[in-house]
Amino acid sequence: MLGKLIKHEFRATGRVMLPMYLVLLATAVGSNLSGRWMLGSSRSALSVLGTLIVVAFGFAIFGVLLMSFVLMIQRFYKNLLQDEGYLMFTLPVSVHQHIWAKVIVSAVWFIATVLVIIGACLLVAYEGGFWRQFFDFLGQLLGGLQKLKISEALNGTVVLAELAVLMFLCLVAFSLQFYAALAAGHSQPNHKMLWSVGCFFGFQAVLQFGGSMLLIGLNKLELSRFLDWDPTPIAAIHVGLLMSIGVVVVYGAIFYAVTTFFLKRHLNLE
Amino acid sequence: MSVLECKELCKRYGRTAALEGLSFTVEPGRIVGLLGPNGSGKTTLIKLANGLLTPDAGYISVCDMAPGRESRSLVSYLPERTAIPLWMSAGQLLDFYGDFYTDFRREAAEEMLGHLNIHPRQVIKQMSKGTREKVQLIMVMSRAAKLYLLDEPIGGVDPATRDYILSTIIGSYNPEAAVVISTHLIADVEKVLDEVIFINQGRIMLQSSVDGIREEKGMSVDALFREVFKC
């Protein structure tokens, strides 16, 4: 059922995101063309038009970033906590599946947005011989990698994988933070959105306070006295990344538990 | 086996009691009217049966199961509000119901949509309020469910649409299932009901067959309702 929820979630969000991507790519092509023929033109009308297209490209980048963020919140709010909630929460699926469908689809759109923006920037920079230069650069990079030792190549790959996992988990935890506030706020009988905003800042304050207390506590324990370890730089990077992943998992798990609790036990659709 | 059973069911909203010690059963094959004035607890009861609310005390079961993921595959629920996503087309809505409910009869739904001249590509947002409600009802009644829970299906629609809705309910429900219709428009639904439950301020005032009311009291359900709930 999770797969079906994800399928329909992509259907609902794709109708907004895909046209936004098309607009972004169209303005990227326009910016490329304006850079070649319009911006340096002696005709002021062409020059102004070229500037407007480049400005539109900037707005399009801002627009897709904003939309992927707004959509993440809006879909959870509208699809689960408004009238559509009567349909969604009477489907034979669990609350966990609802949350995961929203989280996974939001994370995928965040990643897709970043990739499309990179693609759009490459389109703007494209000129004759661009691909030759690009593949030359790739060749040099691969040539450089071949000179690495196996341990170095392995470490590099693992660090990249750890970074990718960390990025994905950050996106998931980021979404869950908003979902928890919305779910808690909408369990109230009145002023649900106001409560949601209050819950968001309340959760932030509690987590920051708790985190600070934990750090102070760990500092007082003086754990370093018991650790006789002088790590190599690469080992320190691995430990740092793994610890960050652990912290983000705990952070996300707390918000996941809060969201699940309120949607399961205190759902209060209008 | 009862399709719907409540025992000493209680639900409070803050200090206000919505349901107080409700006990009754609904057997398969019956069309039951859940009748009561506004704010009597009808919607709360239906939400509890769907697992949209959790009881504070007592017990509610659907086909011997506590409301949850499994029971939802047996219940077809028509909410008071238009809950179908407005951005979807009629065809996408058919896909949606077909994906999640194994008992969804797509051909029956397509036929009913065809009678209303609704094309699968027509977007729900572009339909009138009355048509949206009909589409939602068609989806709900196109399932071969064990229990149909219809919350105010004829509230806020014109008399012709009321007739359409009632004929759709009668013409398409699974005869082995039970249908619970919550409403305060008694005169319109009386003709389709087998049984009635009068509910007021969260308590059951009466549970009886429609024939029993006519024979014993010598009056229609509508007349009895007006007498029981006289202000």
Side-chain angles (χ1 to χ4, degrees):
Chain A
M1 286 291 181
L2 178 62
K4 288 173 182 171
L5 280 177
I6 288 174
K7 173 186 141 187
H8 288 281
E9 194 59 25
F10 271 122
R11 203 178 243 190
T13 47
R15 75 201 166 87
V16 179
M17 291 309 292
L18 295 178
M20 293 284 295
Y21 290 164
L22 275 180
V23 169
L24 176 64
L25 294 175
T27 55
V29 172
S31 296
N32 181 299
L33 297 178
S34 74
R36 289 187 204 194
W37 296 318
M38 295 181 197
L39 288 178
S41 168
S42 54
R43 290 186 182 177
S44 60
L46 269 182
S47 186
V48 169
L49 184 65
T51 310
L52 285 176
I53 292 172
V54 174
V55 170
F57 175 64
F59 274 113
I61 289 182
F62 177 71
V64 288
L65 280 171
L66 184 71
M67 189 49 80
S68 57
F69 172 72
V70 169
L71 209 59
M72 176 265 288
I73 297 174
Q74 190 247 16
R75 278 298 298 165
F76 186 86
Y77 169 67
K78 213 170 173 193
N79 189 234
L80 296 182
L81 301 173
Q82 293 293 102
D83 288 351
E84 285 179 26
Y86 285 96
L87 175 68
M88 300 308 290
F89 282 114
T90 48
L91 294 175
V93 299
S94 66
V95 165
H96 298 284
Q97 287 172 325
H98 278 303
I99 299 172
W100 277 114
K102 293 280 180 286
V103 160
I104 290 168
V105 172
S106 292
V108 168
W109 283 124
F110 282 139
I111 292 165
T113 299
V114 171
L115 293 176
V116 172
I117 289 174
I118 291 169
C121 291
L122 287 175
L123 270 178
V124 173
Y126 179 81
E127 56 185 5
F130 174 84
W131 291 113
R132 192 174 46 76
Q133 286 174 9
F134 182 74
F135 285 117
D136 282 352
F137 168 73
L138 272 186
Q140 284 170 11
L141 192 72
L142 285 173
L145 287 175
Q146 278 173 351
K147 289 174 193 162
L148 291 173
K149 290 179 196 166
I150 290 179
S151 65
E152 287 170 343
L154 212 66
N155 271 318
T157 312
V158 173
V159 165
L160 280 179
E162 285 166 354
L163 267 174
V165 169
L166 181 62
M167 251 184 64
F168 184 77
L169 289 174
C170 280
L171 292 173
V172 168
F174 177 68
S175 303
L176 283 168
Q177 188 175 345
F178 285 92
Y179 295 165
L182 281 168
H186 281 72
S187 67
Q188 298 300 315
N190 298 308
H191 310 296
K192 291 167 186 275
M193 203 36 107
L194 200 65
W195 273 103
S196 300
V197 174
C199 287
F200 181 83
F201 288 111
F203 290 158
Q204 287 277 18
V206 169
L207 270 180
Q208 280 182 6
F209 180 75
S212 307
M213 289 294 108
L214 191 71
L215 282 176
I216 291 168
L218 286 174
N219 193 35
K220 279 192 176 167
L221 284 174
E222 293 184 31
L223 289 173
S224 55
R225 281 194 306 174
F226 304 102
L227 291 173
D228 184 21
W229 186 47
D230 184 21
T232 61
I234 192 72
I237 291 172
H238 283 308
V239 170
L241 281 170
L242 289 174
M243 278 177 71
S244 304
I245 287 173
V247 168
V248 175
V249 165
V250 171
Y251 183 75
I254 291 170
F255 288 122
Y256 182 85
V258 172
T259 312
T260 311
F261 172 77
F262 280 102
L263 292 185
K264 259 188 177 176
R265 298 279 162 207
H266 295 281
L267 183 68
N268 188 14
L269 298 173
E270 280 183 54
Chain B
M1 180 182 71
S2 302
V3 180
L4 178 64
E5 184 177 7
C6 300
K7 271 184 194 163
E8 296 299 322
L9 189 66
C10 296
K11 179 68 191 174
R12 301 182 76 83
Y13 296 115
R15 289 182 182 176
T16 315
L19 297 178
E20 283 190 286
L22 226 66
S23 299
F24 70 91
T25 56
V26 173
E27 301 302 322
R30 307 287 283 172
I31 301 182
V32 180
L34 185 63
L35 313 177
N38 291 327
S40 54
K42 304 186 295 290
T43 298
T44 299
L45 177 61
I46 287 181
K47 280 184 173 183
L48 284 163
N50 275 300
L52 291 171
L53 291 173
T54 42
D56 293 326
Y59 171 78
I60 185 164
S61 73
V62 174
C63 300
D64 276 346
M65 281 183 273
R69 192 175 158 186
E70 285 78 25
S71 75
R72 286 181 198 134
S73 59
L74 305 175
V75 178
S76 195
Y77 168 51
L78 180 79
E80 206 177 351
R81 292 154 177 257
T82 306
I84 48 177
L86 301 184
W87 60 268
M88 278 188 187
S89 66
Q92 286 173 326
L93 194 60
L94 290 169
D95 292 344
F96 184 88
Y97 270 80
D99 274 350
F100 288 104
Y101 296 110
T102 49
D103 60 6
F104 183 64
R105 298 168 295 181
R106 190 178 175 118
E107 296 77 24
E110 282 173 340
E111 195 183 322
M112 283 191 268
L113 289 175
H115 290 156
L116 292 174
N117 290 323
I118 294 171
H119 193 270
R121 285 194 162 184
Q122 204 171 330
V123 177
I124 292 157
K125 199 174 189 172
Q126 293 164 352
M127 297 173 186
S128 68
K129 185 176 175 285
T131 309
R132 284 177 199 172
E133 289 188 9
K134 284 177 195 164
V135 169
Q136 184 165 258
L137 180 78
I138 286 170
M139 295 299 143
V140 169
M141 296 314 297
S142 296
R143 286 186 53 204
K146 297 275 185 224
L147 173 65
Y148 298 85
L149 292 171
L150 314 178
D151 194 2
E152 300 283 1
I154 54 169
V157 293
D158 61 79
T161 307
R162 279 180 204 173
D163 287 345
Y164 172 83
I165 288 171
L166 290 174
S167 65
T168 304
I169 294 169
I170 297 304
S172 49
Y173 84 101
N174 173 12
E176 290 165 14
V179 183
V180 175
I181 304 175
S182 139
T183 186
H184 55 270
L185 302 168
I186 323 289
D188 292 290
V189 295
E190 186 172 346
K191 59 194 173 207
V192 305
L193 300 179
D194 298 317
E195 208 173 299
V196 292
I197 296 172
F198 282 7
I199 179 170
N200 194 26
Q201 294 179 335
R203 290 198 172 93
I204 288 185
M205 311 286 284
L206 170 88
Q207 180 172 13
S208 170
S209 71
V210 171
D211 290 341
I213 289 173
R214 286 184 189 133
E215 282 166 20
E216 288 167 25
K217 313 269 184 189
M219 57 174 77
S220 67
V221 176
D222 187 45
L224 180 64
F225 183 87
R226 286 169 198 271
E227 193 179 293
V228 170
F229 294 104
K230 195 156 60 181
C231 296

